[in-house]
Amino acid sequence: MSDPHHATRGTADEPTGDTAPMTDMDSPAGQALQTRRRSGGRAGHERHVLPQQRPFAQPRMRYRPTEVVSADELESIHDASLRILDEIGMDFLDPEARELLRAAGARVDSGSERVRFDPAMVEERIRTAPSTFTLHATNPEHHLTIGGDWMAFGSVASAPNVYDADSGRRVGNRVDYQNLIRLCQMLTSVHFFAGYPVEPVDIHASVRHLHAIHDLLTLADKPIHAYSLGRQRNIDALEMVRIARGVDEATLDVEPSIFTVINSSSPLRLDTPMLHGILEFSRRNQVIVMTPFTLAGAMAPVTLSGALAQQNAEALAGMTLTQVVRPGAPVVYGGFTSNVDMQSGAPAFGTPEYMRTAMIGGQLARRYAVPYRSSNVSAANAVDAQAAYESVFSLWGAIMGGVNLLMHGAGWMEGGLHAGFEKVILDADLLGMVSAFLDPVVVDEDTLAMDAIREVGPGGHFFGAAHTQSRFKTAFHKPLLSDWRNYETWEEAGSPQAAGKANVIWKQLLGAYEAPPLDTAIREELDAFVARRVAEGGVPTDY
Amino acid sequence: MSDPHHATRGTADEPTGDTAPMTDMDSPAGQALQTRRRSGGRAGHERHVLPQQRPFAQPRMRYRPTEVVSADELESIHDASLRILDEIGMDFLDPEARELLRAAGARVDSGSERVRFDPAMVEERIRTAPSTFTLHATNPEHHLTIGGDWMAFGSVASAPNVYDADSGRRVGNRVDYQNLIRLCQMLTSVHFFAGYPVEPVDIHASVRHLHAIHDLLTLADKPIHAYSLGRQRNIDALEMVRIARGVDEATLDVEPSIFTVINSSSPLRLDTPMLHGILEFSRRNQVIVMTPFTLAGAMAPVTLSGALAQQNAEALAGMTLTQVVRPGAPVVYGGFTSNVDMQSGAPAFGTPEYMRTAMIGGQLARRYAVPYRSSNVSAANAVDAQAAYESVFSLWGAIMGGVNLLMHGAGWMEGGLHAGFEKVILDADLLGMVSAFLDPVVVDEDTLAMDAIREVGPGGHFFGAAHTQSRFKTAFHKPLLSDWRNYETWEEAGSPQAAGKANVIWKQLLGAYEAPPLDTAIREELDAFVARRVAEGGVPTDY
């Protein structure tokens, strides 16, 4: 798979209409774009200085995932989860979901929200969940395989605030929302949109999903997520993605084209909007990412095993519902167990605890033969060493844990409270390096280089060897941010740090952004759908 | 193992004599110490605000190391190495080493430095190298097990320059050298001294090793390294460590107490001082860490397989010599294959290439059943996101590669060209987190927390649960640098970044430093030895 949009569309006109970058002067991205336009740099020179990226491609897990607990210990966690669901049960707040589960064999006391599951029912039901499926994009080049040894990396999602180094931290808004979409569309190591990169709170909540999904489907062409915030929003999202893909309902029904993250309200509760998400999406064979948010010491036991037993119970309960609604509906096992700072109660991410629970989450998902979701997370407030080490530790946990769907892959800061433009670039760079780490090391006569070693001999060097000359341009991965200049040259250049370079790069990429092609008829249908639903008032917001 | 010096010596007098921190006003560390002394803060309050550290303890590798290449591919690399040594050979610049190898069956042309090895000779000779041994310290609490699933983390070593945020970058000197020793002595995640943390170039080269080793043995009590820079220096180092440990020659002979890194001059050459290091140290049963420095594209083939085949050839040749000198002498397989930026020729570290070669190096070391050495490296010039991600990627490669001896664990910057006080703290923090990552996740009835989950029930929280209350103080690892405060509080505190916090912490630790206890008679013998050897003029420096 490769992204054709980078290579082939260098002379396209500037995008027009609402696919064009908005130039609100309050928006630093807008200002940057204005500057670039005024200087006329966009069409020619700009394109040439764009940083080199790997082609769009899903990495594959070529190594054996790390097993933190033994097979016996894994069974103990599994068994504890089944005991939790059998003996304690879980609250399902939606009556329809409870009734479906009751009809399928779960124990539901009348007048109570509590649902209890026989272990055999859970084990039998989850067996129909697929191990691998395709998540479809509007651009077929961006279809993703979810499961097996395939990995897919997503954007940051759901941050209430946004930050960039020029303008600082501010409440989420549509200008930044759109620019983060454009930026992630330009980054080849971002494979899908994990949600709204930042919440566009300046769009009224009743119609926000309509405009926000419209932006996702017109400014970008990678797979998308819809929030389960009430039944009608899910239905609208399904219709919009169907229109954007230009397929009929029957095709959508066999081609998963959108996903929704279902978070349990840990401990042991699934709220109504989340349950409606499962009902609407699983019914239509769309993707559920069932993710308990089990912070050890707060919403889950302080011991990692206990937090994982609870995570697993909640995940299994949600997975069971998906398969009751529609056997074979795609569902992803989500792990999001971290710890809190027990002195302050603040959530911590990218910690040694996080790494191990991420890996054990992968062990559990593989036990159930379903795809695994993990995340690239950091609690840092600044794009400093902490932001980097928490993110790389998260990636270490996720990648070596065998992640299939990586949420918040690029841009997540401050425990999810802000999306950062510079962090998007740092993370995209980390994802590129992780992808290169997963490239195979080819071992054959040619790469073992006996002839070159013989030619150079003791005491020589390989710079001029033919073996080197024919390979040097593509031999090694080129990071976006790493500054390998010697100290003196670097100091003369002003002692730049990684965050500053990231600030330059996101502006370069935004400046070079072009909207992906979209069939005019599809565009008109999408616009008309949004116009109609907005005119109808969207959805009630009194829930 | 625990470090008794932190807990028990809070009321000790200030160190005197040359174990006291030097207070050269040109030295920022000295200035910081002066300030602390003037304010009288040292004995009382200071001690209480010292950051909490894990106890001194060697982590163990509890997970299966990552296998980047298949068993067949590993054999291909091994076979290529043997072909290199058989067909091309390696230059050994010292006649005594050549003669020993010739007598042991290697093919040496008279009048040539080239040595060629039959594959069977190499395979047979290296078989006597031990899988595991103890590296002895002057403090028995700091003895280290090298090999098996044991890990040991070393300080930065061999940097020509030193940096801290107060005074910037400067040439290595004895004040900073001593302060880096003190700092690493205080850090429990630094288990040994990998060499001189910075080169004390203000000590004349003829006697530098005498003063520098004296400092290492009196300011600290963890295992140490000696440079192989000519035969007499190795002999002096052996005698000094024997005196400091208070043992006789026969005991030293069965108790490895010092190590030396032997770098080949890649490609395929071993210089005289390095060979003398092997001759003197292996003869006395001391530790050789045989480390080719094979930068792919420069001193080794541009392909990773080729660079590894060459690394392995050079490592096997050196290992063979150790076992020819003394069968059973401890030797560690060192991997240090990285890549260069092919545009500029600058070496790169902590790259995807580095990670994979670090892991394959571990596969090779395990094939030969000898301990494995890797490193924590970064090419960054500043303690920014790049420094952090390159170091964590290096650690990912090293740890998941099954490292036993981690060189440059704390403080290595700028591709080794400077040791950084702030980087020492950042890295010590990373090492602490990596150690916590290697702690077992206990899975039993108690940790699975069924009773707590039952007690809290759906919709509750675990803050007040007895299960939480009895564990919260020790449940989670506490990093040194991570700032988990909310954004507003953090901003009010001046938006501190990790490097700034590291700057505070190294001064706190240096301010609280006390020299480890040393028997008076041993101290006098050590002083007398140095005085005598200095009076004799040390060693000639005309090599």
Side-chain angles (χ1 to χ4, degrees), chain A residues 332-335 357-362 365 370-374 398 401-405:
Chain A
V332 175
Y333 182 108
T357 57
M359 289 171 165
I360 298 171
V370 292
Y372 178 51
R373 168 253 159 109
S374 188
V403 68
N404 300 112
L405 189 86

Side-chain angles (χ1 to χ4, degrees), chain A residues 63-64 66-69 73 76-77 80 83-84 87-89 91 114 163 169 267-269 296-306 309-310 339-343 346 348 351-353 355-356 359-360 379 381-382 384-386 388-390 392-393 395-396 399-400 414 418 426 429-430 433-434 436-437 439-443 445 447-450 453-454 456-463 467-468 471-472 475-478 481-488 490 497-498, chain B residues 63-64 66-69 73 76-77 80 83-84 87-89 91 114 163 169 267-269 296-306 309-310 339-343 346 348 351-353 355-356 359-360 379 381-382 384-386 388-390 392-393 395-396 399-400 414 418 426 429-430 433-434 436-437 439-443 445 447-450 453-454 456-463 467-468 471-472 475-478 481-488 490 497-498:
Chain A
Y63 315 129
R64 182 196 295 260
T66 302
E67 290 174 3
V68 169
V69 294
E73 290 167 336
S76 297
I77 295 171
R83 280 175 59 204
I84 291 168
E87 297 172 19
I88 304 170
D91 284 353
R114 190 66 54 92
Y163 173 93
R169 189 169 178 269
L268 297 174
R269 203 172 68 186
M299 297 95 89
V302 74
T303 46
L304 299 187
S305 302
Q310 184 186 309
N339 56 299
V340 295
D341 174 9
M342 294 307 292
Q343 270 63 52
T351 60
E353 291 75 23
M355 294 170 77
R356 287 174 289 167
M359 289 171 165
I360 298 171
N381 293 311
D384 63 352
Q386 179 186 344
Y389 68 70
E390 288 181 338
V392 184
F393 279 134
L395 288 171
W396 183 341
I399 301 295
M400 300 313 292
E414 201 195 321
H418 84 247
L426 170 61
D429 205 15
L430 299 180
M433 286 187 263
V434 160
F437 161 66
D439 281 345
V441 172
V442 178
V443 181
E445 272 306 299
T447 59
L448 284 168
M450 272 296 285
I453 294 170
R454 198 187 311 271
V456 171
H461 68 78
F462 290 77
F463 283 118
H467 188 264
T468 308
R471 288 168 183 80
F472 81 95
F476 307 128
H477 177 72
K478 288 177 71 76
L481 294 178
S482 302
D483 195 325
W484 294 330
R485 288 178 292 185
N486 69 45
Y487 198 89
E488 292 71 19
W490 170 81
Q497 301 213 356
Chain B
Y63 316 128
R64 181 197 296 262
T66 302
E67 290 172 3
V68 168
V69 293
E73 290 167 337
S76 297
I77 295 171
R83 281 175 58 203
I84 291 168
E87 297 172 19
I88 304 169
D91 284 354
R114 190 68 53 93
Y163 173 93
R169 189 169 179 269
L268 297 173
R269 203 172 67 184
M299 296 94 88
V302 73
T303 46
L304 298 187
S305 302
Q310 185 186 308
N339 57 298
V340 295
D341 174 8
M342 292 308 292
Q343 271 62 51
T351 59
E353 290 76 21
M355 292 171 76
R356 286 173 290 167
M359 289 171 165
I360 298 171
N381 292 311
D384 63 350
Q386 180 186 343
Y389 69 68
E390 288 181 338
V392 184
F393 279 134
L395 289 172
W396 183 343
I399 300 294
M400 300 313 291
E414 202 195 320
H418 84 248
L426 170 61
D429 205 16
L430 300 180
M433 286 187 265
V434 161
F437 162 65
D439 281 345
V441 172
V442 179
V443 181
E445 272 308 297
T447 58
L448 285 167
M450 273 296 286
I453 295 170
R454 200 186 312 271
V456 170
H461 68 77
F462 289 78
F463 282 119
H467 188 265
T468 308
R471 287 168 183 79
F472 80 94
F476 307 127
H477 177 72
K478 286 177 73 77
L481 294 179
S482 302
D483 195 324
W484 294 331
R485 288 178 292 184
N486 68 45
Y487 197 89
E488 292 72 19
W490 170 80
Q497 300 211 358

